[in-house]
Amino acid sequence: MPSAAASSPVGGRSPESRDPATGEVWKRYEVADADAVKAACDRARAAQPAWAALPARVRAGAVEAFVQKLLARREEAANIIARENGKPVGEALGVDVGVTLALAEHFAKVTPRFLKPHWQRSAALMAWRKRVALVKEPYGVMGVISPWNYPMFLPLSSALPALLCGNAVVNKPSEWTPGIAELVRECLLEAGVPADVYQVVHGAGATGAALCEHADKIFFTGSEATGRKVAAACARRLIPCALELGGSDPAIVLADADLKHAAAGIAWARFSNAGQTCVAAKRVFVEASVFEPFLAELNDAVRVLNVGPGTADRTDVGPMIRPEQRTLITAQFDDAIARGANVALRLATPEGDCYFPPTILTDVPAGSRPMTEETFGPLLPVTKVADVEEAIARANETTQGLSASVWTGDVARGVAVAHRLQAGSVVINDACSSAGIADVPHGGVKSSGLGKVHGDLGLQECVRTKAVMVDWFQSWRQPWWFGYSRAHRDNIDAFLVAAHSGSLWARVRALPGVLRLVLAPSRKA
Ligand code: NAD
């Protein structure tokens, strides 16, 4: 299995643990080439049936043990995340480790019940003699391709339920956060998951692309551009994929909102993780009558943020993960300014090639890059709108539809607005949080993805559902079997009338024909 090594290429998108605050590369990892990925999938495929044959409670026990292993190493895990991703250690502890622990506990608890075959009677008249079991079976080998922004709970959002459902998992973590993927693997193996049942293959796009050639289903989390490539690769092999892609999430501030609360929430939702969150508040639309006071509150909330290395206790906003991410957000900022946007606030940053100053922009034109592309950094356009109708129209004008937030003193009004937003989730008087709650399904619409993670819908993504139909009467011929005749045709006709006619009298008159059809054994073959 590929693991940490010192022989891999340096720079570019080769896998390495690099501190964004200092630029120090503190560990390098061996790249898994196409052959290594195939070998990992072959091992996983060989090991999976025995794992799937274990009672679901035993697999749940391993995930419960994983919770304890990770809890014991939580400080180490949070520090690795801070030193690979740049975010504050406390944020890594609360969001990355905290969400992972909650997800693991939730899925360990609910999956054994979820997997029990569900027996049901069909309401269809032609199935009156039958009962049906819905049996949930693992796919086999799940390929989990994950990004760097929440490098622990994002891959585990699909990997843990996949394991619990009896799949083997091969994870291709981001080449920028390989170290935390190794810690997760160690915790799972120590908890009793067999080494071939949970594997990690390191590398950049080529390694991910190879995984798409050998896994039985792909769970992909990352950018829209890469998601389209993954979808195409899966389509070529006709294997399913679930895609959690980018977002350009709107936050709508209505005139009746608690403006201080909205400003504090939106400040966190945009600037935490240095703005590198899929469900971050990326475009704010404020009703005109409260625009100025809201902007003042937002400036107050952001002005006090400390920008610095994630390992410093007082840091609120760390560096971005890599210089190329800063270059991208700088280009989006420059485009907005060139088209007439104004800077409402821009904080100072320490020296370093990954820092982008947390920035609030106003008067950002609708066609500019921050309004039409996903901004993945600490840059926030705040736009004045005439009323809620304009806010909804502006919110829906992007091609993406991951999540959204509505800030209002009237919850019923907020819910009504939520119904009209094109998004996979909408949070009222908070933002981002729905994406980190174990039993709330998460996943976008439009170009933000396909499928869900979390909740029963997330579990459903980890299994194939097989319908097993059993007939009560083993030797009784079915009415639709051969032995066709004029009388048989008339009886079928009677059945259609009895089943579907709007006239009660016609249905009653058709009953004798139905009985003749149902008593098929008396029919000549
Ligand atoms: P990315 O698309 O660059 O990379 C994601 C993963 O795909 C990485 O592991 C990468 O190595 C791999 N990859 C690259 N090319 C590949 C290929 N051709 N085939 C297979 N795998 C390939 O994304 P990123 O920069 O790591 O992450 C940021 C993006 O992820 C943002 O757009 C963000 O919004 C999105 N995201 C979405 C969610 C969600 O839940 N919807 C969550 C987190 C991040």
Side-chain angles (χ1 to χ4, degrees):
M1 179 184 312
S3 58
S7 59
S8 61
V10 184
R13 284 180 78 90
S14 63
E16 58 188 25
S17 298
R18 177 191 192 274
D19 187 338
T22 61
E24 176 206 357
V25 176
W26 49 274
K27 198 158 181 175
R28 296 199 174 93
Y29 298 77
E30 189 179 318
V31 175
D33 63 12
D35 289 343
V37 173
K38 179 180 181 309
C41 289
D42 288 347
R43 285 194 301 273
R45 191 159 285 110
Q48 183 266 335
W51 174 247
L54 291 173
R57 278 261 32 111
V58 174
R59 293 195 297 271
V63 171
E64 282 160 2
F66 165 76
V67 169
Q68 298 311 314
K69 300 285 176 199
L70 178 59
L71 191 64
R73 295 178 71 179
R74 62 191 182 279
E75 278 292 326
E76 182 191 353
N79 274 287
I80 291 175
I81 292 170
R83 286 193 66 212
E84 286 191 326
N85 165 289
K87 70 180 74 178
V89 176
E91 208 173 279
L93 197 60
V95 181
D96 296 71
V97 179
V99 171
T100 302
L101 293 171
L103 280 170
E105 277 186 349
H106 170 75
F107 284 120
K109 185 167 154 216
V110 303
T111 307
R113 191 163 14 104
F114 168 82
L115 288 177
K116 286 212 169 97
H118 172 65
W119 282 98
Q120 62 182 42
R121 292 286 308 273
S122 167
L125 207 50
M126 63 175 283
W128 71 274
R129 290 167 40 173
K130 305 185 189 304
R131 43 188 199 134
V132 181
L134 299 183
V135 180
K136 291 158 184 139
E137 297 177 345
Y139 278 91
V141 179
M142 291 286 199
V144 174
I145 302 175
S146 43
W148 44 264
N149 60 337
Y150 293 92
M152 180 186 280
F153 91 76
L154 286 175
L156 290 178
S157 287
S158 40
L160 289 175
L163 287 171
L164 284 159
C165 289
N167 298 281
V169 170
V170 179
N171 173 224
K172 207 301 282 171
S174 169
E175 55 276 31
W176 290 344
T177 50
I180 193 62
E182 284 299 324
L183 182 140
V184 165
R185 187 180 67 85
E186 285 164 21
C187 289
L188 280 167
L189 269 47
E190 284 169 19
V193 177
D196 288 345
V197 168
Y198 186 84
Q199 299 179 64
V200 175
V201 289
H202 290 294
T207 306
L211 189 53
C212 296
E213 298 304 318
H214 300 290
D216 298 314
K217 176 168 181 174
I218 295 289
F219 277 105
F220 173 81
T221 309
S223 64
E224 182 186 327
T226 312
R228 288 180 186 277
K229 291 183 197 167
V230 168
C234 292
R236 277 194 294 277
R237 292 186 57 223
L238 215 56
I239 61 162
C241 59
L243 305 172
E244 300 295 337
L245 309 180
S248 195
D249 294 2
I252 295 178
V253 182
L254 298 179
D256 62 1
D258 176 336
L259 299 183
K260 203 178 195 59
H261 177 78
I266 289 171
W268 186 83
R270 171 74 275 196
F271 296 105
S272 60
N273 202 20
Q276 304 162 119
T277 299
C278 54
V279 288
K282 291 172 184 147
R283 298 172 298 137
V284 183
F285 299 103
V286 190
E287 279 197 282
S289 61
V290 294
F291 181 79
E292 299 302 340
F294 171 77
L295 191 60
E297 293 285 1
L298 185 64
N299 281 354
D300 287 349
V302 176
R303 190 177 292 116
V304 295
L305 298 179
N306 291 309
V307 184
T311 46
D313 283 341
R314 292 191 62 247
T315 294
D316 299 299
V317 181
M320 298 181 69
I321 191 163
R322 286 289 188 277
E324 44 266 58
Q325 294 300 114
R326 189 184 74 159
T327 302
L328 178 58
I329 197 91
T330 302
Q332 291 169 325
F333 169 83
D334 290 347
D335 179 74
I337 298 297
R339 291 165 185 253
N342 290 309
V343 175
L345 184 73
R346 196 160 164 80
L347 301 184
T349 69
E351 290 291 310
D353 59 5
C354 291
Y355 286 104
F356 182 87
T359 303
I360 299 172
L361 294 178
T362 57
D363 309 304
V364 183
S368 64
R369 291 183 63 179
M371 302 304 271
T372 55
E373 299 174 4
E374 178 180 36
T375 51
F376 219 56
L379 175 67
L380 183 56
V382 184
T383 303
K384 186 193 296 185
V385 290
D387 54 21
V388 66
E389 292 303 318
E390 187 187 349
I392 293 169
R394 294 295 307 274
N396 286 339
E397 70 189 0
T398 63
T399 55
Q400 295 181 318
L402 190 54
S403 188
S405 62
V406 183
W407 303 81
T408 174
D410 180 346
V411 170
R413 191 170 170 227
V415 172
V417 172
H419 284 302
R420 296 176 60 195
L421 292 175
Q422 296 163 358
S425 59
V426 182
V427 187
I428 317 287
N429 292 326
D430 191 7
C432 300
S433 51
S434 65
I437 298 178
D439 54 1
V440 176
H442 166 68
V445 299
K446 294 161 81 177
S447 298
S448 288
L450 299 170
K452 298 283 182 191
V453 290
H454 305 169
D456 281 0
L457 292 177
L459 271 175
Q460 194 63 50
E461 297 277 357
C462 301
V463 291
R464 294 187 172 108
T465 302
K466 181 183 281 174
V468 178
M469 197 157 76
V470 180
D471 201 288
W472 288 108
F473 305 98
Q474 290 184 22
S475 311
W476 190 356
R477 292 169 54 79
Q478 303 297 341
W480 52 85
W481 287 1
F482 283 132
Y484 296 167
S485 66
R486 179 70 219 191
H488 181 239
R489 190 171 120 187
D490 291 344
N491 293 340
I492 293 217
D493 192 64
F495 174 83
L496 296 185
V497 171
H500 303 293
S501 172
S503 156
L504 181 62
W505 177 230
R507 288 163 71 180
V508 170
R509 269 189 309 165
L511 282 180
V514 174
L515 281 177
R516 281 193 294 276
L517 185 70
V518 168
L519 296 176
S522 59
R523 207 156 47 82
K524 273 210 166 102

